[in-house]
Amino acid sequence: MKASISVKKIISVFVAVLLCFCVSSCDMGQNETTTQGEEESTEPVIPGGSLSVPYTSVDSLNPFFTESVLNSVPISLVYRSLYKLDTSFSAVRDLAASETVSGLNIKVYLVSDLVFSDGGELTAEDVVYSFECAKKSYLYSSTLESISSCTQGEDGSVTFTLKEYDENALNVLTFPIVERGTAATEDFLPIGNGFYQFSQDGIRLSLKANLKYAGELPEIGTVRLTDVKGNISPENLVSASEIDFYYSDLADANIAAVNASVTGVYLNNLVYIGVNHENVNLVLASFRQAISYAVDRQAIAESAFRGYARAAAVPFNTSWSRYSASPLASSLSLSSQGEKTAQLLSANGFGEGGLPLELTLICNEGNSFMRNTASLIAQALKPYNVNVTVKLLSAENLEKAVKAGEYDLYLAEIKIPATMDLSQFFIQGGAASYGINFENCRSDEEYFRYKNGEITFEEFIDVFNSDMPFIPILYRNGRLCYTRKVTSEMTVTEGSIFGDIYNWTFSD
């Protein structure tokens, strides 16, 4: 009986050991399979979605050689910059990890462990190379005019030296960063480290997801580049769903009808009335103020510019964070103030019951925005016995007439630098200083005091509105058209049309 028990015990032990072995083997197999699966899931895979955007083969896709707005859009998907501007025109870090400012020097430290799409390390040397390319380029040379040099430090930092102090200098460090040595000629497609990289499939050029991108990739793995040739309208291509996006800065004032979704894009383009201070009446600030009060800026933005503009009673961009944070943002009227116009004119013997005032307003005949604005200004002043004759000129003849002083008022648009610098209005010979008599104004001196930090933003605006050396009207917008397969709300800026593409959602 004992022998029998011993055999059972041996058999039980054998079975137990065998079961443990089997279970362990199964566990090992399961763990091995799970580990392999996890390793496979970490391998980056190009997402399957695709979109189509236009470009032109007539122009280069090298960011330092391109000259067209059309090509600058897909380029922004391939390259990143030290900083980018948000919708409030404030600098936001992109490749920059931090910065220190000391006098005229701005030292920028890069985000660590960055690589280009080919796997090469992104270093300060690449930033210096990119800066030197950008300084000579069509798109970035004027933007970087305020920076005299860029040097790399032993600690991996980059130092930019300014020609003069500017608290908004980070706003111009938005040029593309490319791998050094890859941007020599217009035929080169430089290596970047953005969402996408250039891909050549036979004769077809496209953008493929950059699998070495340091961040979340968009759902869209491929961006097809569609060459827009001849008289083909990109708006028509969007309407027909042959392309999915088209951005225009509306410089030609052409707002073609489109069967697609649209959104405005904030620009830093100021539209204003230039005033000839040599006119015996307009030399008086009270007359310039009277005209300003008569103008309904909101109506011009909505009507003449068909909503693609933001009314402005100050020379600064009303979307700029500095302005929106100021009490002025809610205190200045954007509509006409007829009573003030009547009072100022009456005090000088003009107005409805006084002498008539005859003025000539010149503008660009080829721009419907300007023609419509001129018409609205003339209508606004007519009730006050101010007769405005609108004279339409070609762009070339308009420039000649402005330089020769052959006008009382002129309509113009100027691209304000990203630093919000208004110096071109307030220096002798500045690009926007025509007509201004600096001997009878304080605005020029007070502007540079503001720029140097001697007076506040609000104090300068008070002086400006008292002087009214020229009359701000609005800041213009661009337009992005896109097919309705994009179902998410987009945050769009001029320098980064696809800046938040990683948040976009799509439907077939």
Side-chain angles (χ1 to χ4, degrees):
M1 189 172 182
K2 289 180 181 178
S4 176
I5 294 173
S6 297
V7 172
K8 289 180 179 178
K9 285 184 177 179
I10 292 171
I11 293 173
S12 297
V13 170
F14 176 77
V15 172
V17 171
L18 184 62
L19 288 171
C20 288
F21 177 78
C22 291
V23 171
S24 297
S25 298
C26 291
D27 288 343
M28 288 175 64
Q30 289 173 353
N31 289 339
E32 183 176 348
T33 302
T34 302
T35 301
Q36 289 175 347
E38 288 175 353
E39 289 175 352
E40 290 174 359
S41 67
T42 59
E43 289 295 321
V45 177
I46 293 179
S50 67
L51 290 175
S52 178
V53 301
Y55 87 108
T56 174
S57 58
V58 175
D59 190 20
S60 174
L61 281 166
N62 183 325
F64 304 125
F65 288 89
T66 190
E67 297 185 3
S68 65
V69 173
L70 190 65
N71 281 10
S72 70
V73 174
I75 284 174
S76 68
L77 287 168
V78 179
Y79 307 101
R80 297 174 66 185
S81 52
L82 295 175
Y83 300 85
K84 56 185 178 181
L85 299 184
D86 62 16
T87 53
S88 69
F89 294 90
S90 299
V92 178
R93 292 173 188 146
D94 191 5
L95 297 180
S98 63
E99 64 285 325
T100 59
V101 180
S102 177
L104 297 180
N105 294 321
I106 301 174
K107 180 178 283 191
V108 179
Y109 296 87
L110 303 177
V111 172
S112 60
D113 301 324
L114 290 170
V115 295
F116 288 103
S117 59
D118 66 352
E121 182 184 6
L122 192 158
T123 69
E125 191 174 354
D126 298 298
V127 177
V128 174
Y129 171 80
S130 300
F131 171 81
E132 291 173 348
C133 291
K135 280 282 280 187
K136 297 179 289 186
S137 71
Y138 175 82
L139 289 183
Y140 302 99
S141 58
S142 59
T143 302
L144 296 172
E145 177 62 28
S146 60
I147 300 178
S148 60
S149 66
C150 172
T151 56
Q152 64 184 87
E154 295 181 358
D155 58 355
S157 65
V158 182
T159 297
F160 298 91
T161 301
L162 306 176
K163 293 180 180 179
E164 60 180 17
Y165 175 75
D166 192 330
E167 65 177 352
N168 301 310
L170 293 182
N171 285 24
V172 303
L173 302 183
T174 56
F175 57 92
I177 305 301
V178 307
E179 191 170 28
R180 60 190 177 279
T182 65
T185 72
E186 63 180 340
D187 297 323
F188 279 46
L189 296 176
I191 305 298
N193 75 325
F195 293 128
Y196 298 88
Q197 59 183 319
F198 287 107
S199 176
Q200 189 84 42
D201 182 12
I203 62 173
R204 183 66 185 254
L205 186 64
S206 63
L207 306 180
K208 295 289 186 181
N210 171 19
L211 299 182
K212 297 187 183 300
Y213 177 74
E216 182 182 358
L217 281 174
E219 292 180 22
I220 301 305
T222 302
V223 177
R224 302 186 306 274
L225 300 182
T226 299
D227 193 3
V228 179
K229 298 179 179 179
N231 296 321
I232 299 176
S233 166
E235 287 93 348
N236 289 341
L237 294 178
V238 176
S239 297
S241 297
E242 294 185 32
I243 59 175
D244 296 299
F245 289 88
Y246 171 59
Y247 167 70
S248 170
D249 65 358
L250 299 181
D252 58 2
N254 179 25
I255 305 181
V258 59
N259 181 25
S261 299
V262 297
T263 186
V265 181
Y266 291 172
L267 305 181
N268 208 23
N269 294 41
L270 173 64
V271 174
Y272 65 97
I273 303 173
V275 183
N276 190 345
H277 293 204
E278 295 301 314
N279 180 294
V280 66
N281 294 309
L282 298 179
V283 71
L284 300 176
S286 57
F287 274 89
R288 302 192 294 269
Q289 291 170 0
I291 294 172
S292 177
Y293 285 129
V295 174
D296 191 331
R297 293 164 168 82
Q298 195 64 46
I300 291 175
E302 294 174 359
S303 178
F305 283 76
R306 297 174 60 179
Y308 289 98
R310 290 147 290 134
V314 297
F316 293 106
N317 198 316
T318 52
S319 298
W320 184 29
S321 55
R322 170 67 66 85
Y323 176 78
S324 59
S326 171
L328 293 173
S330 58
S331 65
L332 295 176
S333 175
L334 299 175
S335 300
S336 59
Q337 301 178 68
E339 292 182 2
K340 292 184 178 180
T341 297
Q343 290 171 1
L344 289 168
L345 290 176
S346 178
N348 289 284
F350 293 87
E352 187 175 0
L355 297 172
L357 182 61
E358 302 289 336
L359 298 174
T360 299
L361 169 62
I362 60 175
C363 74
N364 185 352
E365 66 180 357
N367 188 298
S368 62
F369 288 158
M370 294 302 193
R371 294 197 308 270
N372 295 337
T373 298
S375 177
L376 289 176
I377 291 171
Q379 292 175 31
L381 288 168
K382 193 169 186 63
Y384 307 101
N385 209 11
V386 178
N387 302 314
V388 177
T389 299
V390 176
K391 189 175 181 180
L392 302 178
L393 302 173
S394 67
E396 181 181 359
N397 288 335
L398 177 66
E399 182 178 359
K400 290 179 180 178
V402 169
K403 290 181 177 179
E406 298 171 350
Y407 62 91
D408 296 312
L409 307 170
Y410 71 89
L411 269 177
E413 176 182 313
I414 185 172
K415 182 83 169 179
I416 303 297
T419 57
M420 303 299 172
D421 183 25
L422 301 179
S423 297
Q424 291 304 313
F425 285 101
F426 298 115
I427 57 174
Q428 293 282 357
S433 66
Y434 294 104
I436 299 176
N437 185 335
F438 292 102
E439 294 182 1
N440 293 328
C441 288
R442 295 172 49 218
S443 296
D444 55 332
E445 294 178 1
E446 296 305 292
Y447 171 70
F448 290 107
R449 289 186 64 206
Y450 154 72
K451 190 176 178 182
N452 293 331
E454 298 172 23
I455 62 173
T456 67
F457 177 84
E458 289 77 16
E459 287 173 328
F460 165 67
I461 294 300
D462 284 343
V463 173
F464 177 87
N465 286 338
S466 177
D467 265 357
M468 200 57 67
F470 60 93
I471 303 171
I473 302 296
L474 52 81
Y475 272 84
R476 193 168 59 75
N477 294 346
R479 181 175 77 157
L480 176 64
C481 307
Y482 55 99
T483 53
R484 293 186 173 91
K485 68 166 63 175
V486 180
T487 57
S488 57
E489 184 176 344
M490 295 187 292
T491 301
V492 182
T493 63
E494 181 182 14
S496 187
I497 297 297
F498 301 111
D500 66 341
I501 190 173
Y502 51 86
N503 286 329
W504 294 1
T505 54
F506 302 85
S507 63
D508 295 328

